[in-house]
Each structure stands twice: as C-alpha cells, then as structure tokens.
C-alpha cells in the first residue's frame, strides 16, 4: 500500500463511501492518514460530539478541504451535552472558509444572530435549515443578503419562519436554482408568489403544506384575488416540481406553475385540490420532456354534485399523446371506493396510457378500478421493468398470472394485496426470473411461499395495515423531510 502512486491511492479512497471505512483506513499508516485527510471533503456532526466548538477546530485542522458539513441533533437530550449554538457557527466560518454546503437540522440553539454568521461563508452554495424553531424572517433575510453565492435553499419545519421580505429579495436577486419549503406553517403558497421573477432561473421547486387541503382556505393577508401582477412571471427552466397538500381555486395559487412550466422532467402532485384536466392538458402540451409523474389524488366536488377525483381519462390521453419520454409513473388514490366516491380514471384509460408510453417503473395504489383484465393488458407493456401494486383489491391470482408473459418485468412489489396468494405470486416470480420480489402485509402470502422465488426477496408481515397505509399516504415520511 505504501508503494502505490498517490493518484491511485486517492482513487481507492474515493471509492469508500462509508465514514467508518474511511476512519478505519486512516489508522493503517501515516501516509493513508494524511491522504485521507487531504481528500475528505464532508463531515457529519451529531449528538455525540461535545464540546462541539472544540471538535470543530480539531476536525477542520485535520480536514483542510471541507466543503460539506452537516449538523443533525435529531433525538437530542440534555444528556448528550451542549448543541451547536450561534458562536459555533462563527467558529465554523473561521475554520472552513471553503464551505459550499451546510445543513443545520434540529439545532434548537441557533437563532437569527447565528444565521448572520453564514454571510462569512463566501462560497456557500447550498443551505438546508430543518427544525430550527428560533429562526425568523429576519434571519432568513440576512442569509439572502449575505450569502451571495447561494443557489439552493431548503427550509423545513421551521415554525417561526415567515416570508415575504427574504423571498422578494431572493427573487429579485435571481440566483436560486433550487427552492424547497416544507411544513413551515407561517409560509403559505400565496406568500411564495413573492418570489416572482426568481422563478425564471429556478430548476427545482417544492412546496409542502402540513395541513390537508380541505383544512385551510385561500385567505389571509397574502390573498388578493385580483392581484394578477403577482402571476406575471415565467419558469421556463424548471425541471422538477413538487406540490403537496395545497388547494387552488379560480386559477389562484401555486398551481399556476402547471401552466407556466416549459421544461419539466419530474412532476409530483400529492393531494392538490383544484387541479383539473385543462391544467394537465396544458402541462403535457408544454413539457414534451416529462420523464416522471407522481399523482396522489383524493375525491373532490366537481361538476355540481359529483364527488370524485378531478382528473379523468382526458388527462391520461394528453400525457400519452404529448409526453413520449414518460418512464416513471405513480398513481395513488386515497379515499375512493368501488361504488362511491369514484376514481376519475377508467381502467380503459389507464391501459391505453400504460401501453402508449415507454413506462419502465409503474406504481398503482388504491386503484380499485384495476382488475385482472387490466393486468392482462399490463402484461403487454413492452418496457415495463418495475411494478408496484398497493392495496389493489380487485386483482387476483388469475390477473397476476398474466405477468408471466410480461417481456421486461424484473422487479415486483406487492403491498396490502389480499386478493393474491403465495402460490400465484411465486409462479409468476419464477417464470419471470425476477431480480427482486417485495411482499409487505399481504395476508394470504407467507415467507415460505415466496422464499427463493426471486434473486432477492424482501418480506415483511408487520408493516402497517390498511388504515395505517392510508394515514401514511397522507402524513407519511415519504412526503416529509
């Protein structure tokens, strides 16, 4: 090892992703210790590091090329010692002048005064602030003004953070390429319209509201129904858009982005009220490079007394016609029943959509309209490699057997599908020579039934039941940070 060229040794070290492996490697020899320290560009600081300011000085002295630092005090108790505080950020700014990426999570002792020190990081490009209860809009404004190189800002679960000044400043500056706001209860979707011209350069945008759509209205000081000037912006560069638990009416709110985007590649709409077929048709016509779409739909009142999910086969037809690169699709339906309330899509529309697009990864959740006939048509999808079915109660072993003829299927996941048996699933898995088979809480499938049926089998029978799955869809960790 001592005779290896420096470049080759460095390449070996870069291929070790785990911190524990790097720490072990650095103990082998002085040379490895020095090379590893030279190449290490990221560290993680958690509850066990105390006193943290002393540790920062030591770590920065050893790792002189640090670019990324994460502080995470999730699960912290007073027994863990003192957290990172405002002075610690001042020390960090002195020790790590080349820092480009900083994450502060669950830092209870960081307030606006501490955020002011972030201006000392002249190269800071990415900032993630999660569960910082003491920061307010004043601190965020100091970040917006002081961090001139900032291109990505993620703000999550900061209950006292407000808008509008810092959003307006960042919007006029036009430097952000990524903006994520999740579960900040004092920041509404209408406040985010203050970002204005900043949307022109934005490539990734995510807004997630903690409340369900039917629990809040478009009101408050930010709501001005006739203020159309607030919508006078474009977002031609946006590639990733995620909206979670928001409502819109009469073309008011963040759903206006669906009509403004021109370059979307990934779209996720989770429990968004007020999106209709004309929105999806416009989006499909304007975004020919769309590669991934994830829709989680709940029933809404539409067309008078009709109560169903608002999107219909017209949306599927538009996506099939105008989005020839669509490869990943997730369709989950919450709160729908076979009789009432209904799903706006039909099985015929879903089959047409799946067969018309080059879909490689498909997830169907709560799709009670999809039965064995749909599975027969699904088996003809030429490009389908990965299929996940969650709580699809109308599918039986007869429908599952059609997948034996699926030309490209290599990954199959089943969750809460009580119409399927272990014998039926195992036959399909062995016939298709699956790479992975995942079974979660399917009451009629045992581990013995599927053991060895695929190269890799994941089986759990202690995951949440149906009610818990519905709760997880609404509040689950997949849609939260």
């Amino acid at each position: 090892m001592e005779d290896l060229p420096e470049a080759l040794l460095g390449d070996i070290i870069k291929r070790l992703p785990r911190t524990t492996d790097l720490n072990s490697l650095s103990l082998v020899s002085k040379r490895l210790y020095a090379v590893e320290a030279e190449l290490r560009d990221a560290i993680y600081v958690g509850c066990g590091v105390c006193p943290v300011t002393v540790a920062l000085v030591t770590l920065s002295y050893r790792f002189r090329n640090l670019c990324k630092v994460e502080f995470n005090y999730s699960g912290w108790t007073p027994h863990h010692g003192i957290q990172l505080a405002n002075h610690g950020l001042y020390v960090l700014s002195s020790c790590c002048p080349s820092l480009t990426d900083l994450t502060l999570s669950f830092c209870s002792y960081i307030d606006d005064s501490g955020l002011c020190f972030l201006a000392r990081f002249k190269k800071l490009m990415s900032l993630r602030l999660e569960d910082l209860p003491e920061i307010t809009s004043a601190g965020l404004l100091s970040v917006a003004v002081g961090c001139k190189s900032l291109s990505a800002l993620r703000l999550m679960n900061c209950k006292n953070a407000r808008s509008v000044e810092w959003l307006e400043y960042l919007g006029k500056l036009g430097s952000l390429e990524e903006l994520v706001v999740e579960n900040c209860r004092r920041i509404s979707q209408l406040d985010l319209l203050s970002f204005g011209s900043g949307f022109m350069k934005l490539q990734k945008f995510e807004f997630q509201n903690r409340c369900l759509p039917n629990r809040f209205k478009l009101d408050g000081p930010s709501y001005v129904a006739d203020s159309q000037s607030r919508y006078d912006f474009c977002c031609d560069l946006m590639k990733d858009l995620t909206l979670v638990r928001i409502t819109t009416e009469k073309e008011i709110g963040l759903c206006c982005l669906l009509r403004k985007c021109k370059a979307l590649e990934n779209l996720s709409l989770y429990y968004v009220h007020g999106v209709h077929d004309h929105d999806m048709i416009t989006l499909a016509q304007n975004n020919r490079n769309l590669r991934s779409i994830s829709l989680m739909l709940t029933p809404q009142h539409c067309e008078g007394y009709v109560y169903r999910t608002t999107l219909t086969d017209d949306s599927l037809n538009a996506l099939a016609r105008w989005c020839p690169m669509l490869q990943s699709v997730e369709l989950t339906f919450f709160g729908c029943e076979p009789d009432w309330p209904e799903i706006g899509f039909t099985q015929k529309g879903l089959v047409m959509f799946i067969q018309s697009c080059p879909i490689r990864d498909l997830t169907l959740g709560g799709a009670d309209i999809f039965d064995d006939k749909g599975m027969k048509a699904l088996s003809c999808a030429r490009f389908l490699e990965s299929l996940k079915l969650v709580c699809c109660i109308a599918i039986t072993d007869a429908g599952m057997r059609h997948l034996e003829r699926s030309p490209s299927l290599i990954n199959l996941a089943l969750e809460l599908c009580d119409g399927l048996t272990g014998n039926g699933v195992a036959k399909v898995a062995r016939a298709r020579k699956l790479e992975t088979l995942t079974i979660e809480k399917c009451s009629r499938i045992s581990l013995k039934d599927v053991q060895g049926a695929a190269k890799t089998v994941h089986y759990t029978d202690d995951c949440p039941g149906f009610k818990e799955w519905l709760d997880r869809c609404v509040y689950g960790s997949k849609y939260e940070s």
Side-chain angles (χ1 to χ4, degrees):
M1 186 70 76
E2 295 291 340
D3 298 329
L4 290 177
E6 194 86 8
L8 180 58
L9 192 59
D11 188 59
I12 294 173
I13 293 175
K14 290 178 180 178
R15 293 174 183 268
L16 297 175
R18 295 195 304 177
T19 303
T20 52
D21 293 337
L22 292 171
N23 291 340
S24 300
L25 183 68
S26 65
L27 299 176
V28 175
S29 70
K30 290 184 177 180
R31 186 186 180 207
L32 285 173
Y33 182 90
V35 173
E36 193 273 331
E38 183 73 18
L39 293 176
R40 180 83 71 95
D41 62 355
I43 60 171
Y44 175 95
V45 179
C47 296
V49 181
C50 185
V52 64
T53 51
V54 176
L56 286 176
V57 175
T58 303
L59 289 169
S60 61
Y61 180 77
R62 179 184 172 192
F63 306 118
R64 298 181 180 274
N65 296 315
L66 285 179
C67 296
K68 181 178 181 179
V69 177
E70 177 178 355
F71 296 91
N72 192 325
Y73 289 98
S74 177
W76 178 87
T77 66
H79 298 291
H80 289 111
I82 300 174
Q83 286 190 15
L84 177 77
N86 295 333
H87 179 67
L89 286 178
Y90 176 80
V91 173
L92 181 66
S93 67
S94 302
C95 299
C96 302
S98 299
L99 198 67
T100 59
D101 191 321
L102 177 63
T103 296
L104 302 175
S105 298
F106 301 93
C107 299
S108 303
Y109 297 96
I110 298 292
D111 58 23
D112 294 340
S113 299
L115 293 187
C116 291
F117 293 129
L118 299 187
R120 293 167 59 90
F121 296 106
K122 301 302 182 183
K123 298 181 180 181
L124 187 65
M125 299 176 64
S126 176
L127 177 63
R128 176 185 173 119
L129 304 175
E130 180 180 5
D131 273 281
L132 271 63
E134 300 301 319
I135 67 170
T136 69
S137 57
L140 293 174
L141 182 59
S142 69
V143 170
V145 174
C147 299
K148 303 295 185 183
S149 301
L150 196 65
S151 61
L153 176 62
R154 305 170 188 89
L155 192 64
M156 304 173 180
N157 300 309
C158 296
K159 61 183 181 181
N160 287 317
R162 297 175 181 267
S163 26
V164 172
E165 296 86 353
W166 61 275
L167 274 170
E168 290 178 345
Y169 188 92
L170 285 173
K172 292 176 181 178
L173 190 63
S175 61
L176 284 191
E177 297 178 1
E178 178 179 343
L179 177 61
V180 176
V181 179
E182 292 186 8
N183 302 328
C184 298
R185 64 186 184 188
R186 298 193 177 189
I187 302 177
S188 74
Q189 60 163 322
L190 296 171
D191 291 331
L192 283 159
L193 293 175
S194 302
F195 192 58
S197 59
F199 283 107
M200 294 176 62
K201 190 176 180 180
L202 212 58
Q203 296 185 27
K204 178 178 179 179
F205 177 68
E206 178 176 342
F207 177 71
Q208 180 176 149
N209 199 303
R210 189 81 181 182
C211 302
L212 284 169
N214 59 356
R215 295 183 186 177
F216 69 95
K217 299 179 181 180
L218 286 170
D219 53 19
S222 300
Y223 177 52
V224 182
D226 59 353
S227 182
Q228 293 302 314
S229 61
R230 306 181 69 189
Y231 298 86
D232 188 19
F233 60 85
C234 62
C235 40
D236 294 347
L237 299 181
M238 191 176 295
K239 295 181 179 180
D240 294 84
L241 174 62
T242 299
L243 301 175
V244 183
R245 305 187 195 101
I246 70 169
T247 188
T248 184
E249 55 188 46
K250 298 179 181 178
E251 302 185 354
I252 296 172
L254 287 176
C255 284
C256 69
L257 297 176
L258 298 178
R259 300 184 298 275
K260 293 178 176 291
C261 292
K262 307 292 185 183
L264 274 186
E265 295 181 3
N266 305 296
L267 172 67
S268 299
L269 301 177
Y270 302 145
Y271 312 110
V272 176
H273 278 201
V275 176
H276 297 278
D277 284 331
H278 61 83
D279 297 307
M280 296 303 296
I281 292 171
T282 301
L283 180 136
Q285 291 174 339
N286 293 338
N287 296 273
R288 306 293 181 91
N289 291 327
L290 191 67
R291 288 174 167 80
S292 172
I293 186 169
S294 182
L295 303 176
M296 297 195 168
L297 306 173
T298 58
Q300 303 170 40
H301 289 286
C302 51
E303 300 174 4
Y305 294 100
V306 177
Y307 187 59
R308 59 165 172 78
T309 57
T310 55
L311 300 183
T312 70
D313 289 353
D314 290 342
S315 293
L316 297 178
N317 289 331
L319 290 169
R321 180 179 180 183
W322 300 107
C323 301
M325 303 179 69
L326 196 57
Q327 297 183 3
S328 178
V329 174
E330 178 181 8
L331 300 174
T332 297
F333 308 95
F334 166 70
C336 299
E337 299 292 341
D339 298 325
W340 186 89
E342 299 177 345
I343 294 173
F345 301 142
T346 65
Q347 178 165 266
K348 181 179 179 180
L350 283 174
V351 168
M352 177 281 305
F353 172 62
I354 294 168
Q355 292 183 339
S356 300
C357 297
I359 299 174
R360 299 181 183 275
D361 187 348
L362 174 64
T363 297
L364 294 176
D368 52 54
I369 59 171
F370 205 76
D371 58 18
D372 293 343
K373 291 182 180 179
M375 292 295 289
K376 182 178 180 179
L378 184 65
S379 67
C380 300
R382 292 182 298 158
F383 302 99
L384 187 64
E385 297 178 354
S386 299
L387 174 64
K388 181 174 183 179
L389 302 174
V390 183
C391 201
C392 293
I393 59 177
I395 298 174
T396 68
D397 284 349
M400 187 59 59
R401 291 192 193 101
H402 293 301
L403 293 183
E404 295 180 16
R405 300 191 298 273
S406 183
S408 303
L409 188 68
I410 56 175
N411 304 303
L412 178 62
L414 305 171
E415 183 177 348
L416 292 166
C417 293
D418 293 333
L420 303 175
T421 68
N423 184 47
V425 173
K427 285 183 178 179
V428 173
R430 293 189 176 95
R432 285 296 317 139
K433 298 181 180 179
L434 294 180
E435 294 285 337
T436 63
L437 175 63
T438 302
I439 306 295
E440 294 188 20
K441 199 63 175 182
C442 296
S443 61
R444 301 173 65 188
I445 304 176
S446 68
L447 177 59
K448 183 179 179 180
D449 293 331
V450 296
Q451 203 160 24
K455 290 183 179 180
T456 304
V457 175
H458 302 282
Y459 181 90
T460 56
D461 59 3
D462 57 350
C463 67
F466 177 72
K467 181 179 183 301
E468 289 77 9
W469 171 73
L470 295 180
D471 290 340
R472 189 182 65 197
C473 283
V474 181
Y475 300 106
S477 59
K478 178 177 178 181
Y479 317 112
E480 298 181 6
S481 57

